[in-house]
Structures are given as structure tokens and as C-alpha cells.
Amino acid sequence: DAGVIQSPRHEVTEMGQEVTLRCKPISGHNSLFWYRQTMMRGLELLIYFNNNVPIDDSGMPEDRFSAKMPNASFSTLKIQPSEPRDSAVYFCASTALSDSPLHFGNGTRLTVT
Amino acid sequence: RKEVEQDPGPFNVPEGATVAFNCTYSNSASQSFFWYRQDCRKEPKLLMSVYSSGNEDGRFTAQLNRASQYISLLIRDSKLSDSATYLCVEDQTGANNLFFGTGTRLTVIP
């Protein structure tokens, strides 16, 4: 199994630009999570999906952030327009069952200048 | 207010030492807790679950104290390879709605 696959690994962009982060969960996993990690705030849950349906997006910072899961094997997290305070590592994670451990992708390190 | 509080460290210990981390949580109804390990510039990975009765996996022991609302991780006979950040995790709803602590950084020194 290839694990959770995220792309890109690194993204450097200028303030105001649109950023799209991508995630492919482990095949057969029906829950997908987007987290953001910073030194100050640690890992924060942004949004999670069950069976492609968004369940809780209360962690999404503001309207500039949006996430979609058009099918069981693909999800995107979009930031438009991006701001320097969005700089962080964004992790995608998936799991098969509610009581199973999360499997994280390698993360996307986003820098907004 | 963070749901999960951890001492950020760093903890610098010599090889072979025993080290313990504590983590406090806020929701007395939470049922599931975990310790994750995160290496520098890597993703978090599950180290162990924490059960009410306590559980042990080799050199690692995890315990839950519901009365005081904290969980602990004990590492015996520390190895250089144990150097990492250890994240305390609380599952508040039992549906993988996980709250992560900011992590405790451990460095094991030769």
C-alpha cells in the first residue's frame, strides 16, 4: 500500500495567489481529514469527510479556505486568496473506521510570501 | 483554550535513562486517547493507544488517570532513536474527532 499521498510536497507562493493542495487517501479508507500544523498552535483539524461527505468544517479558518472530496480517492484543500499567515504544514490523513488510527500523508509545506 | 496541554520540553536525556511525559485533557467524557510520534519534518505516526487499565509495549508504557484528567507516557532505557516529538491525542467524540497537543520534544543524548 502506498499510504496517503499528498502533493505538492512544498509550495511557495505570493500573497493573493490561489493554492491547491491535493490528497489521495489509502484505498478503502472512508474517512479523510485535513490538518494544519504550526509551531505555535500545533496540529489543528480543519475539516473531515466521511464517505466523501464533509462532516465537520468548524476548523476551517475562514471563507478563504475550501475543501472538496469529489470521490473516494481524491480530495483538495484550496486557499484563495492566500496570506502569509497561512504558511504552515498541511497534512491529510485517512482511516477506515472510527476507532482506527489515522494514517498521515507526508504533508505539504506551504510558504506564502 | 487548548483541549490538550503538554509540556513542550525539550527533554534532553542520556541514553538508557527513563523519561516520562504527562498530558492533561479538558473533556471528562472523552473515551479514547493516543500517543503519536513525530520525527523532524515527518508526519505523525501512531505510537500507542492509551487504555483505562494502562498498557505497555516494550519499553513504552501509557497510562490514563481519569480523576486528574491526564495521560502519561513512560519510556524506559531510552535509545537515540527515541528522539522525536511526542504528541498527546484526545478523541472527544469517539469518531476520530482528534485533538492533538502541541507535542513534547525529546532528545536522547549519547
Side-chain angles (χ1 to χ4, degrees):
Chain A
D1 196 322
V4 177
I5 299 173
Q6 290 186 247
S7 65
R9 290 296 305 276
H10 302 274
E11 176 80 32
V12 180
T13 191
E14 291 184 346
M15 187 173 77
Q17 297 299 306
E18 177 179 296
V19 175
T20 299
L21 311 182
R22 298 173 176 79
C23 176
K24 176 176 165 48
I26 292 173
S27 178
H29 283 190
N30 60 356
S31 295
L32 182 142
F33 303 77
W34 282 101
Y35 283 88
R36 176 173 68 178
Q37 187 174 37
T38 60
M39 288 290 291
M40 290 299 296
R41 300 175 66 86
L43 264 170
E44 299 174 288
L45 178 64
L46 300 177
I47 185 172
Y48 77 95
F49 297 83
N50 276 353
N51 296 315
N52 312 340
V53 176
I55 301 301
D56 183 357
D57 66 353
S58 59
M60 296 285 263
E62 48 197 89
D63 291 345
R64 297 184 298 105
F65 286 67
S66 63
K68 293 182 179 179
M69 192 165 186
N71 57 62
S73 59
F74 184 64
S75 177
T76 59
L77 177 68
K78 186 175 293 186
I79 308 172
Q80 166 63 19
S82 57
E83 296 183 1
R85 60 192 168 121
D86 301 331
S87 298
V89 180
Y90 290 81
F91 286 104
C92 175
S94 70
T95 187
L97 299 170
S98 63
D99 59 351
S100 296
L102 291 184
H103 296 262
F104 284 82
N106 291 330
T108 294
R109 184 172 296 274
L110 173 64
T111 303
V112 184
T113 60
Chain B
R1 184 173 67 90
K2 289 286 289 183
E3 284 80 3
V4 178
E5 300 280 354
Q6 285 185 257
D7 181 345
F11 284 66
N12 299 317
V13 303
E15 260 186 299
T18 296
V19 62
F21 311 134
N22 282 344
C23 164
T24 58
Y25 62 93
S26 60
N27 188 339
S28 59
S30 294
Q31 295 295 315
S32 302
F33 304 89
F34 309 90
W35 284 101
Y36 275 69
R37 170 193 169 128
Q38 187 173 22
D39 292 292
C40 188
R41 293 184 172 268
K42 298 286 189 181
E43 72 276 19
K45 292 183 179 179
L46 178 67
L47 177 65
M48 58 197 306
S49 302
V50 185
Y51 304 123
S52 295
S53 56
N55 49 306
E56 189 173 310
D57 182 3
R59 296 181 295 107
F60 298 83
T61 300
Q63 292 197 313
L64 167 64
N65 184 316
R66 288 198 179 276
S68 301
Q69 291 188 207
Y70 75 84
I71 67 172
S72 62
L73 178 68
L74 182 77
I75 306 175
R76 290 179 297 277
D77 189 22
S78 300
K79 311 292 185 189
L80 297 178
S81 57
D82 294 334
S83 297
T85 296
Y86 291 84
L87 304 168
C88 167
V89 186
E90 174 191 15
D91 183 350
Q92 292 199 347
T93 65
N96 256 323
N97 188 3
L98 302 182
F99 288 90
F100 283 78
T102 51
T104 298
R105 183 170 179 81
L106 171 67
T107 302
V108 181
I109 304 165

